[in-house]
């Protein structure tokens, strides 16, 4: 199994912090200004293992496990994006960072948007990657339409996961088969999802409370939509990079960000949804072009 390490091969330092009523696990490596990387679902901070050493010559890179995911605590509630954003803001304060750069992918991007919206003076630059914001199109992607089905970007699971109790009943005991299909389905290169990554994701999501926590994120989608529409009444002013994949969400990342932010640029990479695992080099290069390499 790979480990998260810096560009010199030094293992990241792992820690835990009790913030906003939840105990979060995080890893930290590198030097320079702080850069937080927020993973999506059904992944953990391990998703960033190949990107981190490409960034650590220039930045102190912090990779937390989001509330309820990975090796973070699995609380009973608090899974709306505004509250999960508060987790990250308080974690940054706990680590001594008043301002920071921020990257989010998938649900980590939705969390990152709320961090930037609630704390615009703290987020210097934002990368919003491969996510449809609730309230700005996510619901439309979940509809059973010929277009959604034919493009393989039919997010049927948004509705399935929102059903109380039943998804846990159907997925429990079949986590490996389910997540193996689910994660690879969204890639352009399914071989990029290595056995060790799948092992790690299955370990975490099959742990007590892990699957329930993931599903609670989806069950807060309608609340997230209300929060996002309210936050968007005041556009973000910090620079925003919208990162899309050619074979999944694509240009819709930039389309959304232009609805909620003033200073937006976009880049599309020729891969699928799991960019940090399909092409970490190109992804890190896009980040560094945006954040700077000094």
């Amino acid at each position: 199994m790979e480990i998260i390490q810096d560009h010199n091969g030094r293992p990241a330092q792992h820690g835990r912090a009790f913030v906003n009523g939840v105990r979060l696990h995080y890893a930290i490596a590198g030097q320079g200004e702080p850069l937080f990387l927020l993973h999506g679902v059904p992944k953990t901070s391990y998703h960033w293992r190949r990107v981190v050493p490409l960034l650590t010559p220039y930045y102190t890179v912090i990779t937390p496990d989001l509330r309820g995911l990975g090796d973070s605590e699995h609380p009973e509630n608090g899974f709306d994006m505004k509250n999960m954003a508060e987790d990250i803001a308080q974690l940054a304060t706990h680590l001594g960072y008043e301002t920071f750069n921020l990257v989010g992918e998938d649900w980590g991007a939705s969390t990152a948007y709320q961090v930037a919206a609630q704390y615009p003076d703290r987020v210097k630059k934002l990368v919003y990657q491969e996510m449809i914001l609730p309230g700005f199109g996510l619901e439309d992607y979940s509809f059973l339409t010929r277009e959604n089905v034919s493009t393989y970007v039919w997010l049927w699971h948004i509705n399935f996961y929102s059903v109380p109790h039943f998804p846990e009943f159907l997925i429990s005991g079949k986590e490996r088969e389910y997540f193996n299909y689910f994660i690879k389905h969204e890639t352009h290169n399914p071989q990029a999802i290595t056995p060790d990554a799948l092992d790690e994701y299955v370990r975490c999501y099959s742990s007590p409370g892990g699957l329930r926590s993931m599903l609670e994120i989806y069950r807060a989608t309608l609340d997230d939509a209300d929060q996002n529409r309210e936050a968007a009444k005041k556009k973000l002013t910090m620079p925003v990079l919208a990162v899309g994949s050619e074979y999944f969400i694509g240009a819709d990342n930039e389309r959304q960000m232009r609805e909620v932010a003033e200073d937006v640029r976009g880049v599309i990479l020729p891969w699928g949804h799991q960019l940090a695992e399909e092409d970490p080099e190109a992804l890190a290069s896009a980040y560094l072009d945006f954040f700077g390499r000094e």
Side-chain angles (χ1 to χ4, degrees), residues 113 117 120 229-237 259-262:
Y113 167 69
R229 285 189 290 262
E230 180 64 27
K233 292 178 180 178
K234 185 176 182 179
K235 285 193 169 185
L236 302 180
T237 57
E259 294 185 47
V260 302
E262 295 178 352

Side-chain angles (χ1 to χ4, degrees), residues 208-260:
L211 184 58
R212 175 191 55 78
S213 295
M214 179 194 82
L215 296 168
E216 291 297 339
I217 290 175
Y218 288 84
R219 290 164 185 162
T221 295
L222 296 179
D223 292 333
D224 297 335
D226 292 340
Q227 294 170 359
N228 290 335
R229 285 189 290 262
E230 180 64 27
K233 292 178 180 178
K234 185 176 182 179
K235 285 193 169 185
L236 302 180
T237 57
M238 77 285 294
V240 177
L241 176 66
V243 178
S245 68
E246 182 177 348
Y247 298 102
F248 207 67
I249 295 176
D252 255 3
N253 296 279
E254 184 174 351
R255 183 269 304 169
Q256 296 170 92
M257 285 299 100
R258 293 197 179 280
E259 294 185 47
V260 302

Side-chain angles (χ1 to χ4, degrees), residues 16-292:
R16 298 183 189 270
F18 186 77
V19 293
N20 194 32
V22 67
R23 192 172 183 230
L24 296 184
H25 164 256
Y26 63 89
I28 184 169
Q31 57 191 7
E33 293 184 358
L35 170 57
F36 283 78
L37 307 181
L38 307 185
H39 67 87
V41 175
K43 292 157 280 188
T44 71
S45 56
Y46 191 69
H47 179 67
W48 299 112
R49 67 198 180 283
R50 295 178 176 174
V51 174
V52 169
L54 304 175
L55 302 176
T56 53
Y58 315 98
Y59 293 92
T60 298
V61 182
I62 305 98
T63 52
D65 285 329
L66 297 182
R67 167 184 292 249
L69 308 181
D71 286 308
S72 288
E73 184 181 2
H74 303 149
E76 291 298 317
N77 49 42
F79 291 97
D80 61 280
M81 292 297 103
K82 189 173 180 180
N83 191 60
M84 290 178 68
E86 183 64 24
D87 295 346
I88 302 305
Q90 290 193 22
L91 176 62
T93 300
H94 173 85
L95 295 174
Y97 303 127
E98 178 60 27
T99 61
F100 47 90
N101 293 301
L102 183 59
V103 172
E105 68 94 27
D106 191 78
W107 282 99
S110 190
T111 303
Y113 167 69
Q114 276 292 337
V115 176
Q118 299 304 316
Y119 294 96
D121 294 334
R122 299 190 66 183
V123 178
K124 299 174 70 174
K125 291 184 178 182
L126 169 67
V127 171
Y128 182 90
Q129 178 177 315
E130 281 290 292
M131 179 63 185
I132 303 297
L133 268 178
F136 289 84
L138 183 67
E139 299 84 350
D140 295 338
Y141 271 68
S142 73
F143 296 157
L144 178 59
T145 65
R146 290 190 182 278
E147 181 181 5
N148 283 348
V149 173
S150 64
T151 58
Y152 296 96
V153 191
W154 175 32
L155 304 182
W156 53 267
H157 62 287
I158 303 293
N159 298 321
F160 173 49
Y161 292 173
S162 295
V163 177
H165 311 304
F166 207 53
E168 292 95 324
F169 172 72
L170 292 176
I171 300 172
S172 292
K174 301 180 178 65
E175 290 89 351
R176 175 167 296 277
E177 294 82 0
Y178 182 77
F179 288 127
N180 181 61
Y181 163 79
F182 191 90
I183 296 172
K184 290 183 178 181
H185 171 74
E186 296 180 336
T187 65
H188 189 57
N189 174 19
Q191 297 302 312
I193 307 303
T194 57
D196 60 296
L198 185 61
D199 287 346
E200 177 65 3
Y201 303 149
V202 170
R203 176 187 74 82
C204 292
Y205 285 90
S206 60
S207 66
L211 184 58
R212 175 191 55 78
S213 295
M214 179 194 82
L215 296 168
E216 291 297 339
I217 290 175
Y218 288 84
R219 290 164 185 162
T221 295
L222 296 179
D223 292 333
D224 297 335
D226 292 340
Q227 294 170 359
N228 290 335
R229 285 189 290 262
E230 180 64 27
K233 292 178 180 178
K234 185 176 182 179
K235 285 193 169 185
L236 302 180
T237 57
M238 77 285 294
V240 177
L241 176 66
V243 178
S245 68
E246 182 177 348
Y247 298 102
F248 207 67
I249 295 176
D252 255 3
N253 296 279
E254 184 174 351
R255 183 269 304 169
Q256 296 170 92
M257 285 299 100
R258 293 197 179 280
E259 294 185 47
V260 302
E262 295 178 352
D263 182 3
V264 180
R265 65 208 74 178
V267 62
I268 296 178
L269 300 179
W271 300 100
H273 185 56
Q274 315 298 353
L275 290 172
E277 299 187 272
E278 294 188 68
D279 196 345
E281 292 81 9
L283 186 62
S285 181
Y287 292 169
L288 292 173
D289 288 345
F290 177 61
F291 291 122

